[in-house]
Amino acid sequence: MTKSTAAPATRAETRAELSRVPYDLLVIGGGILGTSVTWMAAQAGLRVAMVDAGDFAGATSSASSKLVHGGLRYLQTGNVKLVAENHRERRALAGDIAPHLVKPLTFVVPIYRGGPHGAAKLGAGVFLYSALSVFGDGVGKVITPQQAQARVPALKTDGLRAAAVYGDHQMNDSRVAVMTVRAAVDAGATVLNHAEVVGLRKTGATVTGAELRDRLDGGEFGVSARLVLNATGPWVDHLRRMEDPAAEPSIRLSKGAHVVLRRHEPWKAALTIPIDKYRVSFAIPWEDHLLLGTTDEPYEGDPADVRPTEADVTQILDEAGHAVLDSQLRREDLTYSFAGLRVLPGGPGRVAAAKRETVLTRGTGGMLSVAGGKWTTYRHIGRVVLDTLAHLPGRPLGDDLADILPAVPLPGLASPDAVAMRLWTERDPGARMDPLVARHLASHYGSIAFDLARLIRDDPALGERIHPGGPDIWAQVVYARDREWAVTVDDVVRRRTTLTVRGLDTPDVRERVAGVLTG
Ligand SMILES: Cc1cc2nc3c(=O)[nH]c(=O)nc-3n(C[C@H](O)[C@H](O)[C@H](O)COP(=O)(O)OP(=O)(O)OC[C@H]3O[C@@H](n4cnc5c(N)ncnc54)[C@H](O)[C@@H]3O)c2cc1C
């Protein structure tokens, strides 16, 4: 199939560059935190490299609840300031940074007879929640059971006394992550996925780089840097022990699983289902499906082995069943399930918290480690970490970092409605793009969808759907290979497209995708 133009450096070129150039900063871990720091550091004029053992956002950062939110539950613990900060960042992402990728969503909290919270308390809670974002998404309020059911037809109404409503946002986390990697590269960063750090380079007692193994061909190489940041999420202590075998644990892990089900009716809103006084479970319309979860269980195994179990799936379906009709919770509608690990502060060695739940430590060899926090506030965390790196004793990064512009958008910034309309009307009637495909491309690529349209113009076969059950098309696979660092079938089917979450990554689809990747 056709190659898209202006392809970035090949893996071999990137490896050669990584081995040759001494960097200011090496970021280990290409989840959203590592990517954010890389993006910020490149914007500040640093020479920065980022590597990931697997795919970018292949771990926790593609296993989230996909919410860009203020965090209603923080109100329960009185953390009003944190909610206001999260809201600010949420609204910046949805307004200035990535309106093409981050979408508004109404949330309904059903209030049942005998449930953990009463209508007065929840009503006051959602009002305060909306006030903390200056009512930018409307006023949080209490509505009737009928009004709630009009928004969510699959809502159980037996014993339903009222519901509370509020506004937040949602995204496709893997796509926002890959767009952020691209923003970092556009700003001058060098990145490589499927490249695992297997050891640290030291000059004297100071960490000055890393030894890597390319997981695709087993090739070994090294990267030198003035400063190394460990942003490996659940693996953060593993890397800290590479620096200092005696390093004490700095975090604890908690597993959260989700399931994805085929949806039978349109949902105009998501459900926030109170399970007990403290926990909620979500039922969220996402990618034309229903996303349910999550669980919260201590986890002590190898982070690479985290998976949803049968018991997790049962728990998630049971908890959704508090508020969702059984007809929408059939196991045969399950298309995908996944699990990720929350990183929680724990153990000694915690030197600073950039934000609640974000752990920042500095080891004996001078390596900085960051873990935890929220997807929603990733730009904020990136800026705080960069600021910390810039002001370390001895100033290893020097004194001349440029100021970062306050609101640099993600690539493809555009109104998704305008992009979808153009994609649809651009061609003659009869040869027009399916409106569903146009909308899908516009809301996952923004104006970059026009690059995909150009690929289709050159090779109309690339406009065909990969599977008739979903809107993903072959041009996305070519683009993922040539412009989005996709090298394995899972990179494409799970994270650059929505094939896996829709349950459409059949053996035939996987084989044909593999053919494009090697072609
Ligand atoms: C169940 C769940 C639901 C969540 N829901 C939300 C939500 O709805 N909204 C929200 O705002 N936040 C949410 N979060 C939080 C958010 O997802 C995380 O804070 C965020 O993804 C953490 O990103 P990270 O980059 O620190 O970690 P990760 O994404 O795990 O990245 C770490 C990376 O390091 C790499 N790595 C590990 N070892 C090495 C090595 N030796 N060499 C090279 N690379 C290595 C890994 O491959 C991995 O890609 C949720 C978290 C969980 C667990």
Side-chain angles (χ1 to χ4, degrees), residues 439-484:
R439 173 137 294 283
H440 177 68
L441 296 184
S443 59
H444 291 74
Y445 297 82
S447 62
I448 288 174
F450 298 133
D451 292 348
L452 299 172
R454 269 188 287 279
L455 290 177
I456 300 168
R457 210 169 303 136
D458 292 348
D459 181 355
L462 296 182
E464 283 166 21
R465 294 191 192 213
I466 300 168
H467 189 291
D472 290 300
I473 56 170
W474 286 104
Q476 292 173 259
V477 182
V478 170
Y479 196 80
R481 177 195 68 194
D482 293 347
R483 300 303 311 269
E484 295 185 332

Side-chain angles (χ1 to χ4, degrees), residues 305-364:
D305 294 337
V306 66
R307 301 210 150 63
T309 60
E310 200 38 47
D312 293 329
V313 174
T314 302
Q315 180 188 338
I316 292 167
L317 292 176
D318 285 353
E319 290 184 346
H322 288 223
V324 179
L325 293 175
D326 295 345
S327 53
Q328 177 53 82
L329 296 177
R330 291 193 307 240
R331 270 179 187 257
E332 59 265 34
D333 282 329
L334 199 142
T335 58
Y336 186 54
S337 58
F338 57 93
L341 294 170
R342 294 179 196 86
V343 169
L344 307 170
R350 185 172 167 216
V351 294
K355 202 166 184 72
R356 212 190 102 133
E357 295 177 349
T358 305
V359 183
L360 204 54
T361 57
R362 191 165 193 216
T364 50

Side-chain angles (χ1 to χ4, degrees), residues 73 76 109-112 114-117 122 271-283 292-296 314-324:
R73 77 184 170 86
Q76 184 87 346
V109 195
I111 303 160
Y112 290 99
H117 307 288
L122 269 174
L271 292 178
T272 304
I273 307 165
I275 302 301
D276 57 34
K277 253 181 132 178
Y278 300 99
R279 271 195 65 230
V280 298
S281 196
F282 292 108
L292 303 178
T294 174
T295 54
D296 195 350
T314 302
Q315 180 188 338
I316 292 167
L317 292 176
D318 285 353
E319 290 184 346
H322 288 223
V324 179

Side-chain angles (χ1 to χ4, degrees), residues 28-35 51-69 171 173 195-198 212 215 231-236 238-239 242 254-258 282 294-295 338-343 370-377 381:
I28 307 174
I32 195 57
L33 288 200
T35 303
V51 293
D52 196 288
D55 190 18
F56 302 128
T60 328
S61 298
S62 56
S64 82
S65 304
K66 330 293 178 196
L67 300 179
V68 178
H69 61 162
M171 63 177 168
D173 48 8
E196 180 185 3
V197 168
V198 291
L212 288 105
R215 279 195 177 170
T232 54
W235 290 267
V236 72
H238 178 68
L239 269 285
M242 279 188 198
S254 149
K255 182 173 102 168
H258 289 88
F282 292 108
T294 174
T295 54
F338 57 93
L341 294 170
R342 294 179 196 86
V343 169
V370 61
K374 301 295 286 178
W375 232 113
T376 304
T377 49
I381 299 171

